[in-house]
Amino acid sequence: MLSGKQLFLRFLGQTSPAPLMVEIDRAEGVFMYGPHGEKYLDLISGVSVSNVGHNHPQVTEAVRRQAESYTHLMVYGELILGPQVSYARKLASVLPHGLDNCYFVNSGSEAVEGAMKLAKRFTGRTKIISFRNSYHGSTHGAISLQGSEIYRNAFRPLLPDTFQIGFNDENALDIIDSRTACVIAEPIQGEAGIVLPAEGFLDKLRKRCSETGALLVFDEVQTGFGRTGYMFASQRYNVTPDIIILAKALGGGMPLGAFVSSRDIMQSLSDRPVLGHITTFGGHPVSCAAGEAALQVIVGENLAGAAIHKAGLFRERLSHRLISGIRGEGLLMAIELKSRDHVRYAVANAPRFGLITDFFLFCENAIRVAPPLIISEDEITLACNLLHSLLDDTMKNIEQA
Ligand code: PMP
């Protein structure tokens, strides 16, 4: 009989030759549990998804209630569905002023596609600018924006008229001109290894976009919903984009994406010709119900504000010879280790120490620490102790090799 691991490798398409390969039976709060009593503390939240933790009772109840009322009824945008309307209205109340018209889709990549199409339609222009080491998703359009030649080259030809410039390179902003439909930026770069914007950089980017009539698009797929200590990183830097892209924590653990703008901008997608973007499952009622329940928890328990204090506890308690630095904002952190080999070993062996962590796509020398925002003080102490044991083991094994 094939084991769970053998069946996983045999019947599921693989994303890499070295998956984490940890079997999970159930999850609750900050913990995941294996079939034989194994317990893992989740340091990555499914990459910024599980901000309210796993199996949160309010989210589970919202899913159950909505599934009992109805699931899919009709393609997005035709019927008036309570969970969509209610969540869009709630989102408008927490998003930066002016971002109050929400187009629901299924994922981050699809929201990126929608935002690019919206910017092209609204401006009548085609040029799109993004940043080196950015990650915006895996569809062809999103890969065209991606700031890594290795991943882009494998799939050429890509979307024409797309250009990448250096994040934090003020001198490069001149490339934004009257032909530019939009500039798409992560206000804090996630897969680059949590790279913060330099002082004033986002202001200058905003100013250049306004001067040239290019739309500014912030991809807050990883940074949204309290992760950085603010509901959205745009608010941390006090820079408001014309379009914001949301996914991951937006669905409270269910699949959901959205691009949000003013109503004036959004209207250009539904006219001349109609159906500028269409989706069957976008804004699935169960996902919207789950997302709204999760947002109520984030707001009600002030998880954004708490993330700043909790990040401080991590920084205080994490101290190890292998750690050369901690980058980040709130509970979106990159722990810098000595080398790529240390990172590879630590990520692969973390489950043996009861931890789940991960590396970054475009940063070889750091591991991720971005736990659910509901993590308690005792759980932070536990996480730091487990990390220290893992790093002791990493040091012993890598330095011997
Ligand atoms: N943008 C950012 C900043 C992301 O981190 C991701 C996913 N890691 C995406 C877009 C794409 O989201 P999805 O995987 O849901 O398509």
Side-chain angles (χ1 to χ4, degrees):
M1 205 174 79
L2 294 178
S3 69
K5 286 180 183 172
Q6 287 166 324
L7 291 168
F8 167 78
L9 292 172
R10 168 64 185 82
F11 289 107
L12 289 177
Q14 297 295 312
T15 59
S16 88
L20 279 174
M21 291 284 281
V22 179
E23 208 170 342
I24 302 298
D25 245 15
R26 68 186 178 90
E28 195 169 329
V30 298
F31 293 105
M32 300 188 207
Y33 299 89
H36 310 293
E38 305 91 331
K39 183 175 178 181
Y40 309 101
L41 202 161
D42 180 3
L43 283 182
I44 49 182
S45 311
V47 186
S48 293
V49 171
S50 328
N51 286 9
V52 300
H54 301 286
N55 208 8
H56 192 288
Q58 277 165 254
V59 176
T60 307
E61 175 57 18
V63 167
R64 192 192 58 75
R65 232 182 309 126
Q66 183 53 42
E68 280 175 3
S69 300
Y70 57 85
T71 58
H72 178 78
L73 296 179
M74 177 54 177
V75 298
Y76 174 80
E78 297 293 336
L79 300 180
I80 302 167
L81 304 181
Q84 288 177 350
V85 177
S86 170
Y87 196 21
R89 188 172 177 204
K90 175 89 184 161
L91 283 168
S93 74
V94 295
L95 279 161
H97 183 70
L99 297 171
D100 58 6
N101 201 259
C102 180
Y103 194 114
F104 282 121
V105 289
N106 300 281
S107 67
S109 301
E110 196 187 338
V112 167
E113 301 292 332
M116 284 194 284
K117 288 167 67 184
L118 176 59
K120 284 169 101 168
R121 282 283 285 273
F122 182 72
T123 60
R125 307 172 182 180
T126 57
K127 183 171 159 183
I128 298 181
I129 292 162
S130 56
F131 291 90
R132 283 198 273 282
N133 285 339
S134 62
Y135 182 82
H136 296 290
S138 204
T139 50
H140 258 96
I143 288 181
S144 306
L145 304 177
Q146 195 174 114
S148 157
E149 280 308 311
I150 296 172
Y151 292 97
R152 287 161 57 83
N153 271 340
F155 298 102
R156 287 184 192 281
L158 296 170
L159 203 59
D161 230 2
T162 51
F163 302 88
Q164 280 77 48
I165 57 176
F167 192 63
N168 288 332
D169 181 358
E170 285 178 17
N171 297 325
L173 297 180
D174 284 349
I175 193 178
I176 305 167
D177 58 16
S178 58
R179 279 207 325 106
T180 307
C182 67
V183 180
I184 302 194
E186 299 163 86
I188 296 173
Q189 289 196 308
E191 294 308 316
I194 319 299
V195 174
L196 304 183
E199 178 80 33
F201 178 71
L202 296 178
D203 284 311
K204 293 199 172 82
L205 175 61
R206 171 70 273 181
K207 187 160 172 275
R208 182 73 191 161
C209 287
S210 300
E211 280 164 10
T212 55
L215 297 189
L216 178 60
V217 182
F218 275 172
D219 178 339
E220 293 234 29
V221 167
Q222 274 200 45
T223 51
F225 296 97
R227 172 70 41 203
T228 68
Y230 293 77
M231 188 56 82
F232 298 99
S234 327
Q235 293 154 335
R236 157 75 179 82
Y237 297 105
N238 213 7
V239 174
T240 302
D242 301 296
I243 304 175
I244 195 165
I245 294 166
L246 307 172
K248 295 204 189 270
L250 172 71
M254 295 293 286
L256 190 62
F259 51 104
V260 188
S261 69
S262 66
R263 188 160 170 268
D264 182 40
I265 292 178
M266 193 65 81
Q267 271 178 341
S268 54
L269 213 46
S270 56
D271 198 16
R272 286 174 288 146
V274 298
L275 305 178
H277 193 75
I278 44 179
T279 161
T280 298
F281 285 123
H284 193 285
V286 177
S287 298
C288 285
E292 184 167 354
L295 181 55
Q296 262 158 13
V297 174
I298 293 171
V299 173
E301 297 181 15
N302 186 22
L303 291 182
I308 296 179
H309 171 66
K310 291 176 181 181
L313 295 178
F314 267 104
R315 285 169 186 267
E316 240 171 66
R317 290 170 197 183
L318 272 180
S319 160
H320 193 279
R321 272 173 53 207
L322 262 193
I323 298 179
S324 50
I326 301 179
R327 265 196 311 274
E329 195 69 62
L331 286 174
L332 185 63
M333 293 183 284
I335 310 293
E336 233 174 70
L337 303 185
K338 261 175 136 178
S339 74
R340 174 181 192 270
D341 288 345
H342 289 93
V343 167
R344 296 274 149 178
Y345 183 94
V347 170
N349 287 279
R352 277 203 298 120
F353 288 83
L355 287 175
I356 302 284
T357 180
D358 203 2
F359 46 82
F360 295 97
L361 274 179
F362 311 130
C363 171
E364 289 192 330
N365 69 340
I367 60 170
R368 248 176 241 271
V369 173
L373 308 183
I374 47 117
I375 191 167
S376 70
E377 195 163 338
D378 285 348
E379 288 161 347
I380 292 174
T381 305
L382 174 65
C384 293
N385 291 341
L386 294 173
L387 268 168
H388 288 154
S389 304
L390 170 66
L391 294 180
D392 284 344
D393 182 64
T394 303
M395 199 158 78
K396 206 169 80 203
N397 279 277
I398 295 298
E399 261 131 64
Q400 264 172 9

